[in-house]
Amino acid sequence: MMKSWCLALICCWLGLTARAQEEFVPAEIIQGANEWLNDNIDERVLDTLGVDEDRVRKFLADVQRQFEGVYVYDLGAWRDSARQIQPVLASYEETEPYAAWLKTHLDYFDVAETLRTNVAAKGTNVVRLSAPSPNLERAVWVQVIEKRPAPPAANKHLPRLKQIFAEEQVPAELVWIAEVESSFDAKARSPAGAAGMFQLMPATARDLDLSVNLLRDERLNPEKSARAAARYLRKLYLRFGDWRLAFAAYNAGEGRVGALLKKHKARSFDDIAQYLPSETQLYVPKLEATLRKREGTTLAQLKLPGR
């Protein structure tokens, strides 16, 4: 029963987020997963774990909407539930890759709550705001990342990954995207289907000549996935001419970013940030703060080699 419950949670989490390079997973997945929970979950198991069944359902449904929506502030309300679910997923071999992914997202909930608290402290009605300013998000992420040591796995992989990025004519410093995506955990797998250290979606990986099937998933190979991610980042930068936009596209999809720029006659990430998914609004400044901490540099300082 415990194993079945964990697998059910995976199904539920499939609808949580607009990850990486493809379209959102349909909301119907959440409905189907909740129906499965209704028919199969043993409330006594949840009681043993100290988790309320209705709370799990509400968490899954609400976070799915919040990650897909543009309202960052509401994410903070679900951080306690996320922290309860993550160790449960980590307890079983088949769900450990999902736990690794969720672990990298726990600070999104924390930062969202900090942003809400900061705005509320100024007497502003949070309900009337659509999104925090990108500058405020950057400032909060700098404070969060400044206190954080590099993931233990980073030292093992950094020299070779930086070499690969340089070979693909991408700034070597950008290998730190692997910290933001997976904490350098090659086994990490997102509920939406992204996998590996650089969290590539299946279709994107295939377009980049990686094998993605049951017998061999090259996204789980650190060196091959690094080369594919570097090539994709180079493509996105050449299209948008800006690293913030390139990373927004890496997270939310290049079609979405291109459409928003066109619709709002915009040229920068800050111009369209409030219209991007909540995850993307938080992802780009988190990456910037990580680069500042690990390499002492900014996205604006990074150029494609030879350009």
Side-chain angles (χ1 to χ4, degrees), residues 1-13 33-34 36-38 40-57 59-60 81-92 94-95:
M1 178 59 70
M2 291 284 285
K3 184 177 292 187
S4 297
W5 183 71
C6 285
L7 291 174
L9 274 179
I10 291 179
C11 295
C12 292
W13 268 93
N34 279 333
W36 193 100
L37 283 168
N38 282 328
N40 294 277
I41 211 163
D42 188 336
E43 292 186 28
R44 291 172 298 180
V45 173
L46 292 173
D47 291 340
T48 300
L49 293 169
V51 179
D52 179 78
E53 181 182 6
D54 291 336
R55 184 182 176 193
V56 170
R57 288 200 183 90
F59 169 79
L60 293 169
S81 296
R83 290 187 180 278
Q84 280 189 310
I85 289 173
Q86 194 275 333
V88 174
L89 295 176
S91 299
Y92 298 90
E94 60 266 58
T95 59

Side-chain angles (χ1 to χ4, degrees), residues 31-210:
Q31 180 179 350
N34 279 333
E35 290 175 356
W36 193 100
L37 283 168
N38 282 328
D39 294 337
N40 294 277
I41 211 163
D42 188 336
E43 292 186 28
R44 291 172 298 180
V45 173
L46 292 173
D47 291 340
T48 300
L49 293 169
V51 179
D52 179 78
E53 181 182 6
D54 291 336
R55 184 182 176 193
V56 170
R57 288 200 183 90
K58 180 172 174 52
F59 169 79
L60 293 169
D62 286 346
V63 172
Q64 185 254 339
R65 286 193 295 268
Q66 295 305 325
F67 265 120
E68 292 182 4
V70 300
Y71 203 67
V72 170
Y73 297 112
D74 278 359
L75 286 174
W78 312 111
R79 64 177 178 177
D80 291 342
S81 296
R83 290 187 180 278
Q84 280 189 310
I85 289 173
Q86 194 275 333
V88 174
L89 295 176
S91 299
Y92 298 90
E93 182 178 356
E94 60 266 58
T95 59
E96 189 176 356
Y98 298 89
W101 171 86
L102 179 55
K103 187 175 181 179
T104 68
H105 284 67
L106 292 177
D107 56 7
Y108 287 64
F109 301 100
D110 295 334
V111 168
E113 179 61 15
T114 298
L115 291 167
R116 187 197 66 78
T117 302
N118 286 348
V119 172
K122 296 177 182 179
T124 305
N125 187 343
V126 177
V127 175
R128 296 180 182 176
L129 298 179
S130 60
S133 74
N135 283 335
L136 176 57
E137 292 190 37
R138 291 180 192 117
V140 172
W141 275 116
V142 165
Q143 294 175 359
V144 171
I145 301 298
E146 187 62 32
K147 305 172 186 176
R148 183 176 298 171
N155 289 337
K156 174 183 176 181
H157 294 288
L158 273 175
R160 179 56 179 151
L161 298 185
K162 284 190 171 184
Q163 180 184 351
I164 290 171
F165 268 51
E167 290 171 355
E168 294 297 331
Q169 297 187 301
V170 174
E173 296 90 337
L174 292 182
V175 298
W176 288 101
I177 186 179
E179 177 178 355
V180 177
E181 293 285 356
S182 67
S183 290
F184 289 89
D185 189 339
K187 300 187 301 295
R189 185 177 296 273
S190 86
M197 208 174 274
F198 294 90
Q199 290 292 283
L200 294 168
M201 293 291 283
T204 303
R206 293 188 184 100
D207 287 344
L208 295 165
D209 299 323
L210 293 184

